[in-house]
């Protein structure tokens, strides 16, 4: 059971205990602003902004509307038992029981290293500030709109906030030890924070300099007008107000980043992650492979499929690259692969290729996926004969795949093949 009250001034209003035995001590002054809902639930006192909670009448345990029911507050400990000294909390909401508020984890703050709250109805990253030993935080598939409290989690190495409503990733700059970062399927439009906030700090410095210049001009301007009304009005925006992130250390320990399924249009911001081994950027709005890739010399897997790329460029320094995924773009020619001596897999399906020219310069290629292009004849795939280790080729949904004896002729042309399209070839 729980008891809730709308408090005009929660610092002075006692709240009944969960069992109704009597009033609990009031919250410290300033803990909850006027208008918040204060509740004692299973001995844990929680102050919640009603705007971030499920609508009254919606039962988060069943997702069923219950007219007349009070607002439900469900904590991790209400679903999964937690003991003092616990090292991890793992609660998945796919069985119908949904956490709505992160609270009550302080009991194990001294030992807790991993928190996984997947597929719930959490809207705020509250209740984490005391978990300073946390190394893994997964809030996959919730309703979180903002990254909060990361400045209190300096030891994080894995952060997964995929399938939420995040619009800015700048606060990840507070986590210099991050090794894996997952922010897929959010609402991001920029890659931020990976340089430790240096870009935001530079923008703030530029804005401050503009404001100083404007003030100087104002001092010399005649009365009745200022020379910098526009410049000074924009200074607060440029100075990073709202992000709370200043210049710090670049996230050079990152090994894997997944930002797929967002609204990102440029690779700007990723270049500082020089230790990166995997970069997943599928299903965004990226138009160019630019010089932000050139410093990622440890990259092994690069995925920029389902974007708006028309040319393969800036890969010359990525000599460790083994897998390159560029399907569903607008690429007309497979160029820019000459320095990729380790490349063994390339996906150029659903592009605008009319031949395999350009692939012959990557001698380690084993898997070549070219489905749904515009390759017309066997002559147009002749350059694949220069690949000594090619074992799998996808050419289905190209005009050439309609040729008589398509598979037999392709096998004769490329005797190292063990698979054509989705069909494994019999061993001879």
């Amino acid at each position: 059971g729980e008891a809730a009250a709308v408090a005009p001034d929660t610092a002075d209003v006692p709240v009944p205990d969960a069992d109704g035995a009597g009033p609990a001590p009031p919250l410290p002054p300033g803990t909850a602003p006027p208008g918040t809902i204060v509740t004692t639930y299973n001995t844990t006192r929680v102050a919640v902004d009603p705007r971030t909670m499920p609508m009254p009448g919606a039962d988060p345990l069943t997702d069923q509307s219950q007219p007349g029911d009070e607002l439900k507050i469900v904590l991790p400990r209400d679903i999964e038992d937690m003991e003092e000294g616990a090292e991890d909390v793992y609660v998945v909401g796919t069985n119908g029981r949904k956490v709505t508020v992160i609270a009550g984890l302080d009991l194990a703050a001294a030992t807790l290293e991993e928190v996984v709250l997947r597929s719930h109805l959490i809207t705020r990253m509250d209740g984490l500030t005391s978990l300073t030993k946390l190394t893994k935080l997964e809030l996959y598939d919730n309703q979180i709109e903002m990254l909060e409290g990361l400045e209190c989690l300096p030891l994080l190495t894995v952060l997964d906030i995929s399938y939420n409503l995040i619009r800015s990733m700048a606060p990840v700059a507070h986590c210099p030890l991050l090794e894996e970062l997952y922010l897929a399927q959010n609402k991001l439009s920029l890659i931020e924070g990976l340089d430790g906030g240096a870009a935001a700090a530079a923008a703030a410095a530029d804005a401050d300099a503009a404001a100083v210049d404007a003030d100087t001009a104002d001092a010399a301007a005649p009365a009745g007008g200022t020379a910098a009304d526009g410049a000074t009005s924009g200074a607060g925006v440029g100075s990073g107000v709202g992000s709370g992130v200043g210049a710090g250390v670049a996230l050079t320990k990152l090994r894997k980043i997944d930002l797929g399924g967002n609204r990102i249009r440029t690779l700007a911001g990723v270049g500082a992650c020089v230790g990166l081994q995997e970069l997943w950027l599928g299903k965004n709005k990226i138009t160019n492979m630019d010089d932000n890739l050139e410093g990622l010399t440890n990259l092994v897997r690069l995925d920029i499929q389902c974007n708006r790329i028309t040319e393969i460029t800036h890969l010359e320094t990525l000599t460790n690259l083994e897998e390159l995924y560029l399907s569903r773009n607008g690429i007309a020619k497979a160029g820019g692969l000459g320095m990729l001596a380790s490349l063994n897999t390339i996906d150029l399906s659903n592009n605008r290729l009319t031949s395999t020219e350009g692939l012959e310069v990557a001698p380690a290629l084993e898997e070549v996926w070219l489905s749904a292009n515009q390759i017309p004849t066997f002559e147009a795939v002749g350059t694949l004969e220069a690949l000594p280790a090619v074992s799998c080729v996808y050419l289905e949904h190209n005009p050439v795949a309609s040729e008589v004896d398509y598979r037999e002729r392709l096998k004769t042309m490329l005797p190292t093949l063990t698979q054509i399209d989705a069909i494994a070839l019999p061993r001879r």
Side-chain angles (χ1 to χ4, degrees), residues 57 77 91 115 267 336 370 426-427:
R77 60 194 293 180
V91 185
V115 170
L267 295 171
L370 303 173
R427 293 185 178 181

Side-chain angles (χ1 to χ4, degrees), residues 173-401:
H174 292 302
C175 305
L177 301 184
L178 273 182
E179 297 177 7
E180 299 181 19
L181 174 62
Y182 306 91
L183 287 169
Q185 296 294 334
N186 278 280
K187 297 185 176 182
L188 302 174
S189 57
L190 296 172
I191 300 176
E192 304 172 280
L194 303 183
D195 57 0
D206 290 343
D208 292 342
V212 170
D213 292 342
D215 290 342
T216 303
D218 287 347
T226 66
D229 289 338
T232 54
S233 66
V237 176
S239 60
V241 175
S243 70
V245 179
V249 179
L251 275 59
T252 56
K253 294 184 179 298
L254 271 170
R255 299 294 179 264
K256 183 175 182 179
I257 298 176
D258 186 351
L259 301 177
N262 281 284
R263 305 168 180 178
I264 298 167
R265 295 179 180 271
T266 172
L267 295 171
V270 76
C273 302
V274 294
L276 204 59
Q277 296 177 359
E278 299 186 30
L279 178 58
W280 302 87
L281 292 168
K283 202 176 178 182
N284 277 284
K285 300 181 179 182
I286 298 167
T287 56
N288 294 300
M289 299 173 68
D290 59 30
D291 57 3
N292 287 283
L293 292 172
E294 294 178 358
L296 307 181
T297 56
N298 292 298
L299 210 59
V300 174
R301 296 178 183 87
L302 176 60
D303 181 320
I304 321 182
Q305 59 185 321
C306 298
N307 278 275
R308 302 175 180 180
I309 294 167
T310 58
E311 187 177 4
I312 304 174
T313 60
H314 295 282
L315 297 180
E316 293 81 4
T317 59
L318 308 189
T319 54
N320 292 303
L321 196 65
E322 297 178 4
E323 300 175 16
L324 178 60
Y325 302 99
L326 293 171
S327 66
R328 297 187 181 275
N329 280 284
I331 299 168
K333 183 178 179 180
L337 307 177
M339 301 301 293
L340 306 184
S342 300
L343 189 68
N344 61 56
T345 301
I346 189 166
D347 183 1
L348 287 167
S349 303
N350 290 273
N351 277 281
R352 301 174 182 174
L353 300 178
T354 57
S355 78
T356 59
E357 182 182 357
L359 295 178
E360 71 280 0
V361 298
L365 275 175
E366 300 175 9
E367 304 261 345
V368 180
W369 305 344
L370 303 173
S371 303
N373 277 279
Q374 301 166 17
I375 300 173
T377 64
F378 282 100
E379 288 73 19
V381 298
T383 57
L384 296 183
E385 294 181 281
L387 302 177
V390 63
S391 60
C392 174
V393 170
Y394 277 82
L395 284 169
E396 58 189 352
H397 308 301
N398 280 276
V400 67

Side-chain angles (χ1 to χ4, degrees), residues 61 63 79 101 105 121 125 135 143 163 170 194 205 219 240 332 340 360 395 424:
L61 294 179
D63 289 331
I79 301 175
V101 177
L105 301 180
L121 298 174
M125 293 176 63
T135 60
Q143 299 174 10
Y163 288 85
L194 303 183
L340 306 184
E360 71 280 0
L395 284 169

Side-chain angles (χ1 to χ4, degrees), residues 79-231:
I79 301 175
E80 190 77 19
D81 291 336
M82 186 179 69
E83 299 179 355
E84 185 175 358
E87 296 182 356
D88 60 80
V89 171
Y90 191 98
V91 185
V92 179
T94 52
N95 64 355
R97 292 175 60 84
K98 304 285 189 180
V99 173
T100 59
V101 177
I102 305 175
L105 301 180
D106 299 31
L107 177 68
T111 56
L112 204 55
E113 295 181 0
E114 297 187 6
V115 170
V116 176
L117 301 174
R118 175 187 283 251
S119 300
H120 293 285
L121 298 174
I122 298 165
T123 59
R124 296 284 302 273
M125 293 176 63
D126 295 325
L128 298 171
T129 55
S130 65
L131 309 182
T132 55
K133 296 188 181 298
L134 211 61
T135 60
K136 177 179 179 178
L137 175 61
E138 180 180 328
L139 299 175
Y140 179 102
D141 188 18
N142 279 280
Q143 299 174 10
I144 298 167
E145 296 184 0
M146 185 182 302
L147 295 178
E148 301 175 280
L150 295 183
E151 66 276 8
C152 301
L153 308 175
L155 301 183
L156 272 186
T157 59
V158 179
L159 177 63
D160 187 349
I161 317 287
S162 298
Y163 288 85
N164 278 276
L165 304 169
I166 306 296
R167 293 182 181 273
S168 173
M169 58 180 287
V172 301
H174 292 302
C175 305
L177 301 184
L178 273 182
E179 297 177 7
E180 299 181 19
L181 174 62
Y182 306 91
L183 287 169
Q185 296 294 334
N186 278 280
K187 297 185 176 182
L188 302 174
S189 57
L190 296 172
I191 300 176
E192 304 172 280
L194 303 183
D195 57 0
D206 290 343
D208 292 342
V212 170
D213 292 342
D215 290 342
T216 303
D218 287 347
T226 66
D229 289 338

